[in-house]
Amino acid sequence: MAMVKGTFSLAQETVRMLNDAADRLAKPKSKVVRDAIQDYHVRIDRLTEAERVWMLQAFDELSSRLPARPDEDVEREIEEIRASRRSGGRLTRAE
């Protein structure tokens, strides 16, 4: 893989963490940066922990609002929908 040199401005604390990571991992700083960017890029589309918790709470709240119906009623409704689709849908013109 071809390497391209770049210049970036980093906060002193970030440089300290980079140096610490490079020392602890016994890797060059450039390798630590490449690995960190690759790891970050893989996680871009993943939910953060806060987003995940929010979505689970929303799901719990919404699912608790679903009306409880006997399975027979649900099956009957599904069968009615299927029968309607098989028969060509609407029998009257929609306005």
Side-chain angles (χ1 to χ4, degrees), residues 33-93:
V33 170
R34 285 192 302 271
D35 290 349
I37 291 171
Q38 184 176 13
D39 183 56
Y40 186 83
H41 188 268
V42 168
R43 294 183 289 123
I44 287 174
D45 293 326
R46 293 186 185 164
L47 297 175
T48 65
E49 181 63 16
E51 290 169 326
R52 189 185 71 78
V53 167
W54 178 81
M55 290 181 83
L56 287 171
Q57 288 173 341
F59 177 80
D60 288 343
E61 181 183 332
L62 292 172
S63 64
S64 68
R65 294 181 189 177
L66 293 174
R69 294 173 52 189
D71 289 346
E72 297 80 26
D73 289 352
V74 174
E75 292 297 329
R76 187 178 319 107
E77 183 177 348
I78 291 172
E79 189 52 44
E80 288 171 4
I81 293 169
R82 287 180 180 150
S84 172
R85 288 180 179 168
R86 282 192 295 266
S87 67
R90 288 192 175 125
L91 298 178
T92 60
R93 188 171 181 190

